[in-house]
Amino acid sequence: MRFAIPFALLVLSLLPSPAHAGLLDPKGPPIDEYTIDLQGRYWFGEISGEIDADTRSIRGTGVDFDDNLGFDRPTDPLIEGVLHAKLWKVLLRASYTQVRFEEDVRLEETIRYKGLTFTVGDDIEAEVFVRFAGFDANALLVDVGNAETIGLEVGIGIGLRYLSFYGSIEERFAGFRASTSRHGIFPVVSACATVSFLNIFQVGIEAGGMKVPSFFWRIEGTFLDAAVEARAYLLKYVYVCGGYRYILLKSEWDFGAKVEISGRLQGFYVGAGVSF
């Protein structure tokens, strides 16, 4: 919630007053009529869950991202780029982000990862690097009202999500190291909805998810990707925004040696964008 107060103060400072109209433009072009919308987000993301990485002959143990590896905040700023496009009655969305977690910790319990055993008291360097991209095509099924008073848009469709995962653990004294990497493409059913009002404010939700069966590219599991967002539009089509982002993945990659991930990447974000 640390972004909420600054965001609210910014919006209030821009509200029209009898003496000065401010930057907000209630009489400008309708905010829900655009062709391209570009947005950048700064995401306060946190990771939780665990990974279990086997070899062909040695089973791994569940390695917890927080309890075992000490992951809390990303090592680098977590920036996400989002593109929206409206082509007649079709809403398109594309996004990309990547995040790295690195930590030096002393193990408080023995773990086995990718055939190597790391024992209690070992000093380790742990890293997780994730790339994530998405694309949705939604048919605009509901388009009622108008943004100058209140307007509602609802779209339903399909999409794809790409996930690339790399994880490594290195014992700092002996120098032995275990790592694994996996990637996959997940089909999703997607939906979106926005409510625009007073030609200034907009609240929206986007979601995509799918339970992937085991026969699909040797990957099985459950995937959910969702975000809820509030926007305040400034002069013309420029806006600031804030929201909450949630990604859930429970998946098993079976390429001879199994890798199982049960994780969540979630948190608040702030951003800005422009529509035209």
Side-chain angles (χ1 to χ4, degrees):
M1 293 297 293
R2 60 186 120 173
F3 78 89
I5 294 177
F7 180 71
L9 292 175
L10 174 62
V11 172
L12 290 173
S13 71
L14 297 172
L15 286 172
S17 66
H20 180 42
L23 288 178
L24 293 173
D25 191 14
K27 295 184 178 180
I31 60 176
D32 57 0
E33 293 182 7
Y34 64 91
T35 303
I36 299 293
D37 177 281
L38 297 172
Q39 182 186 115
R41 299 171 175 174
Y42 184 95
W43 190 7
F44 302 96
E46 298 181 352
I47 194 171
S48 59
E50 65 176 34
I51 179 172
D52 187 339
D54 302 339
T55 66
R56 293 181 182 273
S57 58
I58 302 176
R59 289 186 58 83
T61 58
V63 180
D64 190 276
F65 293 135
D66 183 13
D67 294 340
N68 296 132
L69 305 183
F71 292 153
D72 183 15
R73 299 290 181 181
T75 305
D76 306 315
L78 207 176
I79 306 297
E80 183 173 26
V82 183
L83 165 68
H84 292 91
K86 182 185 289 188
L87 305 177
W88 191 52
K89 293 294 184 179
V90 178
L91 304 176
L92 303 177
R93 177 184 181 275
S95 64
Y96 176 80
T97 189
Q98 61 185 43
V99 57
R100 184 189 308 274
F101 293 86
E102 292 180 313
E103 201 66 54
D104 296 339
V105 296
R106 176 165 292 178
L107 287 177
E108 296 181 356
E109 63 178 287
T110 297
I111 60 175
R112 187 178 299 110
Y113 182 74
K114 202 62 178 178
L116 294 182
T117 299
F118 302 86
T119 59
V120 174
D122 282 351
D123 292 319
I124 64 169
E125 295 179 0
E127 177 185 4
V128 163
F129 182 59
V130 179
R131 289 188 176 96
F132 180 78
F135 177 80
D136 294 317
N138 292 328
L140 186 58
L141 301 182
V142 177
D143 185 4
V144 297
N146 62 78
E148 294 181 358
T149 53
I150 183 168
L152 171 66
E153 294 183 342
V154 178
I156 297 176
I158 59 175
L160 295 173
R161 296 295 185 272
Y162 170 79
L163 178 71
S164 171
F165 175 89
Y166 170 82
S168 70
I169 301 175
E170 180 176 354
E171 206 283 324
R172 297 176 61 187
F173 179 75
F176 57 84
R177 181 172 175 268
S179 65
T180 187
S181 62
R182 291 291 187 271
H183 64 272
I185 297 175
F186 301 83
V188 298
V189 176
S190 62
C192 62
T194 59
V195 177
S196 307
F197 50 99
L198 302 180
N199 212 31
I200 294 175
F201 302 106
Q202 188 176 85
V203 177
I205 185 170
E206 297 172 327
M210 178 66 76
K211 184 173 179 62
V212 181
S214 59
F215 62 82
F216 188 80
W217 293 338
R218 291 181 291 179
I219 301 170
E220 63 176 307
T222 301
F223 179 83
L224 176 63
D225 170 26
V228 58
E229 177 177 292
R231 297 182 179 185
Y233 279 76
L234 310 182
L235 184 63
K236 296 184 178 179
Y237 282 150
V238 179
Y239 62 87
V240 292
C241 64
Y244 193 88
R245 187 94 156 82
Y246 180 85
I247 297 174
L248 167 70
L249 175 66
K250 294 183 179 180
S251 182
E252 178 181 306
W253 282 265
D254 188 357
F255 293 84
K258 288 186 180 181
V259 175
E260 297 181 46
I261 299 175
S262 177
R264 293 166 299 281
L265 183 61
Q266 59 188 321
F268 291 98
Y269 67 85
V270 293
V274 59
S275 303
F276 51 89

